[in-house]
Amino acid sequence: MARGTSEDRRLVEHVDRLAEEHPPLRLDAVDFTVRDPQTFERRFGHVLDYMARVELEVDRNVLELTTMLPDPPAVDRYFYAEVWQPQEIQHGRILDRLQVELGRSPAAPDTETVGAKLRLLGVLAHLDGFQDVCRMLYYLTGMATERSAVLAYNLLHRGTEELGEHAVARTVLAPIKRQEPGHYAFYQLSARGLWAELAAWQRWLVRRMRTVSFAPVGANTDGQRADFGAVMATLGIADDVDSFAGQAVRVERDLLWAHRRGMQVPPYVLRAFHDAVERARQR
């Protein structure tokens, strides 16, 4: 289903502003000076590695999108190919360079693998009405990912400042975290607009597929889920998982589960985040 002309214009204008006001960050503008490399690496090295890997996997994410959305709206393609991808890849390169400067090995992102489930979605997306289901899942995933990133980068920035690593906080983390809210806004605007247009069967299918497919950002294997749990523990998120999860999927709850009065956080979200924390503890 096509969105209304005024909504399309609003989204295009939003992406135009992102492109104009937030060009990809430049490596030569970053000050990688670290006052106490050993302490910083010991506390936040694994966090940098996780975040760098996730950001560097943006190329695979674009492959996944072109697979599951064979005919997306032009504004979606404009956003993910011309604005989001160039910004995110630079985030990954900067974070990876920082961890290498600390003496760590470079991140090992998977930039090519497209799973069988996503390829199946791409086949089904050719059926009438099913691509809108796939698009809604894309927007929901984008919202949860970007909101989680905003929260995590804020906590990492705060912890870096507390360690006295002001150069990293000012020239690495502050510029990155300034770009993430614009991505979240795009997904939120898109999700609200599309949800209002979906038929009852499409909404049911979105709820069902989201319930069985939700995963924290970058956590696609048991090992990565444990890694994510360790990141949560380091940033203090593991101490209040329910609050973090609720903030990450607030709009998703409001859209998909408005009929479930009193639901604070969808159970599948809580299970995924608590599972990550538990896997980290066991490891």
Side-chain angles (χ1 to χ4, degrees):
M1 299 180 184
R3 284 190 291 254
T5 303
S6 62
E7 188 174 345
D8 278 338
R9 280 201 301 268
R10 184 183 179 194
L11 280 169
V12 170
E13 289 168 359
H14 176 71
V15 180
D16 284 341
R17 283 194 300 274
L18 290 181
E20 180 180 350
E21 298 174 8
H22 298 282
L25 303 177
R26 299 186 352 257
L27 269 170
D28 60 10
V30 175
D31 183 351
F32 289 103
T33 301
V34 179
R35 184 182 58 85
D36 185 349
Q38 289 185 331
T39 298
F40 188 59
E41 190 280 330
R42 186 166 57 249
R43 181 167 178 188
F44 292 125
H46 71 101
V47 177
L48 294 174
D49 181 64
Y50 193 92
M51 290 179 165
R53 176 183 65 79
V54 170
E55 300 278 22
L56 289 170
E57 288 182 340
V58 65
D59 287 339
R60 190 195 76 222
N61 299 151
V62 171
L63 285 176
E64 292 172 340
L65 288 171
T66 57
T67 298
M68 68 183 286
L69 301 176
D71 187 27
V75 66
D76 285 24
R77 188 181 291 108
Y78 171 34
F79 170 73
Y80 70 67
E82 298 184 38
V83 177
W84 177 74
Q85 191 275 349
Q87 290 179 355
E88 296 285 273
I89 200 73
Q90 284 302 100
H91 296 175
R93 288 169 178 162
I94 290 169
L95 293 170
D96 204 33
R97 167 74 178 276
L98 175 58
Q99 75 162 343
V100 170
E101 292 284 335
L102 295 173
R104 297 178 59 87
S105 299
D110 177 357
T111 60
E112 299 179 350
T113 303
V114 177
K117 292 180 181 178
L118 280 174
R119 290 197 295 271
L120 177 59
L121 284 181
V123 173
L124 295 174
H126 290 86
L127 301 176
D128 187 38
F130 197 87
Q131 181 169 238
D132 284 347
V133 172
C134 294
R135 281 174 55 210
M136 193 68 206
L137 293 170
Y138 160 50
Y139 300 146
L140 293 170
T141 299
M143 277 197 300
T145 295
E146 297 295 347
R147 186 60 181 153
S148 296
V150 169
L151 297 170
Y153 278 124
N154 283 338
L155 292 169
L156 180 58
H157 181 268
R158 184 186 308 163
T160 301
E161 287 278 22
E162 290 172 353
L163 286 182
E165 302 297 352
H166 303 302
V168 170
R170 184 182 68 255
T171 69
V172 175
L173 299 174
I176 289 176
K177 74 189 188 77
R178 277 196 295 268
Q179 292 191 337
E180 302 291 355
H183 303 163
Y184 174 77
F186 172 83
Y187 295 124
Q188 182 180 179
L189 289 168
S190 300
R192 290 187 183 278
L194 181 57
W195 186 252
E197 297 180 355
L198 295 182
W201 72 268
Q202 292 171 308
R203 291 186 174 193
W204 179 88
L205 195 54
V206 168
R207 291 189 187 101
R208 179 59 184 162
M209 295 178 70
R210 187 65 171 160
T211 298
V212 300
S213 66
F214 180 87
V217 55
N220 302 309
T221 67
D222 288 345
Q224 289 173 351
R225 283 185 274 275
D227 291 341
F228 184 80
V231 169
M232 294 172 69
T234 296
L235 297 179
I237 299 167
D239 297 330
D240 195 359
V241 175
D242 291 17
S243 175
F244 180 85
Q247 293 179 71
V249 297
R250 178 180 57 81
V251 175
E252 177 171 334
R253 179 204 64 195
D254 293 347
L255 290 178
L256 273 63
W257 309 103
H259 60 295
R260 297 281 183 86
R261 296 183 182 276
M263 177 184 288
Q264 296 301 310
V265 187
Y268 55 87
V269 177
L270 287 178
R271 282 197 301 271
F273 281 110
H274 280 289
D275 176 68
V277 172
E278 184 58 30
R279 288 179 185 276
R281 286 175 179 160
Q282 290 176 356
R283 187 171 64 181

